[in-house]
Amino acid sequence: MTSCALSSDARRQPKFTNSEVSIRNDVGTLWQITRAYFQDQRLAATPTQPIPLQPIVPQELERSEARVYRLGHSTVLMQLDGKWLLTDPVFSERASPVQWAGPKRFHDSPLALADLPEITAVVISHDHYDHLDKAAIQALDAKVNWFVTPLKVGNHLRQWGIDDDKIIELDWWQQTVIEGLTLTATPSQHFSGRGLLDRDRTLWASWVVAGADTRVFFSGDSGYFSGFKEIGDRLGPFDLTLIETGAYNDLWSEVHMLPEESLQAHRDLRGKVMLPIHNGTFDLALHDWFEPLQRIQQLARQHGVTLATPIFGEAVPLQREFVSQSWWPAPSVETEFAQATP
């Protein structure tokens, strides 16, 4: 059984830790990663042609049906029991502390911030820049009832002007009920920090969102660990799992799952349908931009797992069948195009 890594006095704990591994940043590991980036010879690190996008029109949001829309990276808009929730909202041009440098978006959001519906809760997994966007949080404030975060992540929001009364912070396995929806913070294996001196000062988490008859799992970021099995046993099964599948590498697999591990996590969770997230929006690793989708599709077919790979902005219903399409280019097509591009 995976135990929570936090003491009963977690709110005053200087640093948070994982339950199964200690993530190290030793000189040898950092040198290996640096060398790997210098030796990078990818031909398709970013798309050479526009990524397919399905704009979401206001009339589309007036429908009442349990469904999710992938807006980008790990940003997912979902409707459960007539309530709207939004995960890890990142709408800025770059996932970075500054907007003149850092990983740049491959595509626009299919729904502008200003056009989002009234949001019952924004659910945040951790405080890294590709998951917690200051500008988006401040712009969303007027139309969000609650911001639900792991412990101490709420401190960022307070510093950015969000009212303390709108912030709910949870430890692993704690839950809150908001307008009939139950949100449970569950373990993940990752780390946190937005600068050089705040490593692991805030908690990271995955999330379970349960409505009257629909259950969704949101992984946030995580390496593979036994916690997925425990979450599945305690809170599953799930109609949909939103599983991190992207920005992986053997050098940092303890904090970002490889595709084979993402698929196993979905199976551990007892998920019905898997929707791979954390891909297709930013270049954050050393694989071709389309590789995560290609690999997870092959694995799902091999293991008989139902996979949802929607175009950004395409509705994925939770109570009826969804037919996916392979919207990313065949690897040979994309790399050949990149080779031919001056």
Side-chain angles (χ1 to χ4, degrees):
M1 177 176 178
T2 302
S3 60
C4 177
L6 308 176
S7 68
S8 59
D9 199 23
R11 289 184 179 276
R12 291 193 293 274
Q13 182 171 314
K15 287 195 174 186
F16 295 95
T17 61
N18 289 298
S19 58
E20 295 185 2
V21 300
S22 177
I23 309 301
R24 297 179 303 168
N25 273 336
D26 57 76
V27 174
T29 301
L30 292 174
W31 166 243
Q32 285 183 297
I33 293 173
T34 301
R35 184 173 61 180
Y37 271 95
F38 273 117
Q39 295 175 343
D40 178 24
Q41 295 182 354
R42 290 173 296 166
L43 294 175
T46 61
T48 54
Q49 301 182 58
I51 282 182
L53 205 69
Q54 184 168 311
I56 302 173
V57 298
Q59 295 84 348
E60 165 74 10
L61 300 178
E62 294 173 1
R63 295 191 297 114
S64 181
E65 179 187 30
R67 62 197 188 279
V68 304
Y69 300 89
R70 192 165 177 224
L71 305 185
H73 199 53
S74 297
T75 304
V76 177
L77 178 68
M78 71 177 79
Q79 187 183 75
L80 294 182
D81 297 353
K83 312 297 191 305
W84 288 106
L85 295 95
L86 186 65
T87 66
D88 287 358
V90 174
F91 288 80
S92 292
E93 182 73 6
R94 296 180 185 271
S96 170
V98 296
Q99 287 303 296
W100 48 265
K104 188 176 181 179
R105 299 181 71 96
F106 300 162
H107 61 87
D108 293 331
S109 171
L111 183 65
L113 263 170
D115 296 328
L116 283 164
E118 295 297 315
I119 305 293
T120 296
V122 165
V123 180
I124 296 168
S125 64
H126 64 296
D127 70 0
H128 287 158
Y129 285 95
D130 58 321
H131 295 263
L132 182 58
D133 177 358
K134 176 182 177 180
I137 293 297
Q138 291 177 322
L140 282 165
D141 187 19
K143 59 174 61 184
V144 173
N145 294 343
W146 301 94
F147 292 89
V148 187
T149 81
L151 291 179
K152 295 193 177 181
V153 175
N155 289 340
H156 294 301
L157 278 61
R158 294 182 186 95
Q159 292 170 3
W160 300 339
I162 306 301
D163 194 316
D164 183 65
D165 291 340
K166 297 177 67 171
I167 301 170
I168 299 173
E169 298 181 80
L170 300 179
D171 197 349
W172 291 346
W173 301 115
Q174 288 184 335
Q175 61 181 214
T176 185
V177 179
I178 300 176
E179 298 184 28
L181 298 175
T182 301
L183 280 66
T184 306
T186 44
S188 65
Q189 183 170 287
H190 202 55
F191 65 105
S192 65
R194 291 173 72 83
L196 297 176
L197 303 176
D198 63 344
R199 174 71 181 252
D200 298 340
R201 299 291 180 176
T202 65
L203 184 61
W204 47 95
S206 56
W207 290 91
V208 172
V209 182
D213 54 11
T214 307
R215 303 177 76 84
V216 176
F217 175 80
F218 170 57
S219 72
D221 281 0
S222 183
Y224 179 75
F225 73 130
S226 68
F228 293 117
K229 179 68 164 56
E230 183 177 4
I231 295 166
D233 290 343
R234 291 175 63 166
L235 299 174
F238 297 97
D239 298 283
L240 180 72
T241 66
L242 304 166
I243 302 286
E244 178 204 59
T245 314
Y248 52 77
N249 189 283
D250 287 332
L251 291 171
W252 54 81
S253 61
E254 288 183 330
V255 293
H256 286 294
M257 292 181 281
L258 302 173
E260 294 81 2
E261 295 170 323
S262 297
L263 190 83
Q264 186 59 52
H266 167 79
R267 300 176 75 180
D268 290 350
L269 290 158
R270 297 191 291 149
K272 180 180 177 182
V273 179
M274 174 183 175
L275 197 163
I277 58 173
H278 207 257
N279 58 66
T281 301
F282 298 110
D283 178 26
L284 300 173
L286 290 167
H287 52 64
D288 288 334
W289 76 267
F290 53 80
E291 182 188 294
L293 294 166
Q294 175 202 4
R295 284 181 61 178
I296 199 64
Q297 184 185 68
Q298 293 174 343
L299 289 164
R301 288 171 175 170
Q302 292 171 8
H303 294 276
V305 168
T306 302
L307 193 70
T309 54
I311 291 172
F312 290 105
E314 184 178 12
V316 178
L318 298 179
Q319 296 298 332
R320 56 186 176 88
E321 186 178 358
F322 172 75
V323 179
S324 291
Q325 56 181 305
S326 302
W327 54 265
W328 55 96
S332 59
V333 173
E334 183 76 359
T335 53
E336 286 171 8
F337 188 91
Q339 286 175 318
T341 302

